[in-house]
Amino acid sequence: MDEQQDMARLIGRKIRTLRGERGLSLRVLADLAGVSHSYLSMVESGKRLLKDTPYINAIAEALRVAPPELLGHPFLPVDPYATEVHAAIADLRLTLMGGMTVDSAPDRRPPDEPVTRLAARVRRANRLYHAAEYEDLAVRLPALLADLHAKAAASEGRTRQKVLRILAGAYHPACTFMLKALGYTDLAFIAVTRAGEAIAELEDPLYTALSGFFTTHILMAAGSPEQALAKATAMVNLLEQHLSLPGAEALLGELHLISATTITKNQHRPAGDRTADVRAHLAEAERLAGRTTETKALHLNFGPTNVKIHRVSLNTDLGHHSDALQAGADVHPEVINAPGRQAAYHADLDRALTHFRGRESAAAARFLRAERIAPQRVQADPLVADSVSYLLGKRLPPHVQRDLVSLAHRMGLGQ
């Protein structure tokens, strides 16, 4: 069966099943999502592939599910390395669900390592996240988190405060964002909750805002852009009162970027308002990036390059594909030395490219480039899978078609 048609039918059946479970008629769902009845009918029957982010978000919101659920996420690729990543999540799941808190130690003695050594292990974990080396990271995290919880439970005073900050750094971005990227939103929520418990004890406004920033990401991934934006806005208001703290401006810039992202996914806002609000947040992030320059404060990657990468993804999600291509021409993602972000840039630019007739071969080449940079991240991305399935239905040169079919196989499409 043709891969694009196969994917279209799978997604159509999923939507039809969810619609039945919600007791909605096709006409009611179409009206709730703001799409035409004929379009939704073609999607449900598998005659049209659901591939545009605004439509995915709108239909998911109307069905009260997270957008990835429509696409069968988390994606389980057949590439052996990516498959091992998902296998490694089993131990991490048990660790996260094991009831660890900052007040109760796990069933292990605190490590003999000094705090500086634990901090170095956390820095290593976050480097692995930014490099999108998820398998190695997933294998390391259970012991790292358990050691940090045991150390925190056995520590007091200033030492405990240091360990709690290090513990927060292990949970995010390394643990939280890896799980989010792989589609384990439920586990990511547990991780961000555990980090929030540690941060609450610190009573530090910078870390409180950091906790809110990661919570915003998870709320958005769970399909609640309104709650996500409300959380981000509250953290912006908090942080603006403490901009003298180290890393505060970089975190504030990231909060503006995630605020813009949540707005693109809120279909209740008129299109013009979404565009205006997104541009306002981008402008503020750009202003802050001019002050911070490129920085890795708080294990993040804020700066002019990340703002430019977001300009591509935000325009793509808004459906402004020409603007996305124009923004993408001025980006050098290698500057931030984070393969995960580099791959995201190529994938988002590629999603825009798929909307231009005659650019299909260029789009396929860029997807393959993104996979070479960060295979584990790209192979787990449902929006990439959606676009790859779409391209497979296009007439492509034989060598391009062959490479694209190979990518689809590694992602588990059409299996």
Side-chain angles (χ1 to χ4, degrees):
M1 181 182 292
D2 176 84
E3 284 84 355
Q4 180 184 355
Q5 187 181 50
D6 187 18
M7 177 64 73
R9 289 178 178 174
L10 287 172
I11 293 174
R13 284 198 297 270
K14 182 69 170 178
I15 293 173
R16 188 165 59 251
T17 299
L18 288 168
R19 178 169 63 79
E21 292 174 355
R22 299 291 188 263
L24 301 174
S25 68
L26 188 143
R27 180 173 294 274
V28 168
L29 177 58
D31 289 343
L32 288 172
V35 300
S36 70
H37 309 154
S38 60
Y39 170 80
L40 183 59
S41 177
M42 287 189 290
V43 168
E44 284 200 358
S45 64
K47 295 177 181 177
R48 185 159 183 173
L49 180 65
L50 181 64
K51 68 183 183 69
D52 291 327
T53 302
Y55 290 158
I56 293 170
N57 292 332
I59 294 172
E61 185 172 347
L63 288 168
R64 304 192 306 280
V65 299
E69 188 169 343
L70 299 183
L71 309 178
H73 199 51
F75 238 25
L76 296 178
V78 299
D79 180 271
Y81 295 106
T83 301
E84 290 171 5
V85 175
H86 290 275
I89 296 298
D91 286 341
L92 181 56
R93 180 187 295 275
L94 292 175
T95 299
L96 291 172
M97 298 179 69
M100 294 187 304
T101 71
V102 293
D103 296 317
S104 63
D107 187 19
R108 66 194 294 135
R109 296 178 57 185
D112 294 331
E113 299 173 88
V115 173
T116 53
R117 173 58 184 160
L118 291 170
R121 289 171 63 188
V122 170
R123 288 193 297 272
R124 170 63 174 164
N126 280 295
R127 285 196 297 271
L128 289 171
Y129 162 71
H130 288 299
E133 295 180 15
Y134 296 152
E135 181 192 354
D136 193 358
L137 176 57
V139 169
R140 290 170 181 264
L141 276 173
L144 176 58
L145 293 172
D147 281 347
L148 285 166
H149 273 281
K151 191 75 169 182
S155 302
E156 297 178 346
R158 292 173 63 88
T159 299
R160 180 174 170 87
Q161 295 282 302
K162 289 181 182 178
V163 175
L164 291 178
R165 284 181 168 81
I166 296 169
L167 176 60
Y171 273 117
H172 46 56
C175 184
T176 301
F177 274 6
M178 179 195 70
L179 290 167
K180 171 176 171 281
L182 293 174
Y184 297 97
T185 308
D186 55 342
L187 296 183
F189 179 78
I190 295 175
V192 84
T193 300
R194 294 282 184 270
E197 292 167 354
I199 286 171
E201 184 175 328
L202 295 174
E203 297 183 348
D204 183 325
L206 179 69
Y207 275 82
T208 298
L210 184 67
S211 178
F213 167 71
F214 286 99
T215 300
T216 297
H217 274 272
I218 304 310
L219 288 171
M220 186 177 65
S224 183
E226 296 97 338
Q227 284 184 288
L229 181 59
K231 173 64 75 172
T233 301
M235 295 304 100
V236 166
N237 294 336
L238 170 64
L239 205 54
E240 284 179 340
Q241 303 173 45
H242 301 279
L243 289 180
S244 62
L245 295 173
E249 287 188 323
L251 178 55
L252 183 59
E254 290 283 2
L255 281 164
H256 279 290
L257 292 177
I258 189 59
S259 295
T261 303
T262 66
I263 290 168
T264 67
K265 301 183 184 305
N266 189 345
Q267 300 302 311
H268 292 309
R269 293 188 179 214
D273 290 349
R274 289 204 307 273
T275 297
D277 291 344
V278 165
R279 287 176 177 170
H281 282 291
L282 267 173
E284 188 60 19
E286 190 169 40
R287 182 187 71 80
L288 290 162
R291 292 172 57 87
T292 66
T293 65
E294 306 290 354
T295 175
K296 293 187 179 295
L298 302 171
H299 301 297
L300 303 174
N301 280 306
F302 184 70
T305 301
N306 204 14
V307 173
K308 290 178 180 179
I309 290 173
H310 275 80
R311 192 176 294 278
V312 174
S313 64
L314 292 167
N315 276 299
T316 299
D317 288 344
L318 286 170
H320 301 165
H321 303 119
S322 294
D323 291 340
L325 295 188
Q326 184 176 354
D330 187 35
V331 181
H332 300 283
E334 66 278 0
V335 168
I336 59 176
N337 191 28
R341 293 302 297 143
Q342 295 172 28
Y345 155 73
H346 289 293
D348 289 333
L349 189 61
D350 204 4
R351 289 194 295 119
L353 267 175
T354 61
H355 290 268
F356 292 90
R357 188 183 299 275
R359 304 295 298 274
E360 291 87 358
S361 292
R366 193 174 288 273
F367 273 135
L368 291 163
R369 180 179 181 182
E371 188 203 22
R372 287 194 297 272
I373 294 171
Q376 294 170 4
R377 176 167 184 154
V378 171
Q379 291 173 7
D381 191 326
L383 294 179
V384 171
D386 211 24
S387 294
V388 168
S389 294
Y390 171 74
L391 288 172
L392 286 170
K394 298 296 182 180
R395 178 170 294 180
L396 300 170
H399 68 284
V400 176
Q401 182 77 20
R402 182 186 65 247
D403 290 343
L404 198 63
V405 168
S406 178
L407 171 59
H409 174 73
R410 291 190 294 276
M411 297 184 77
L413 298 176
Q415 301 302 310

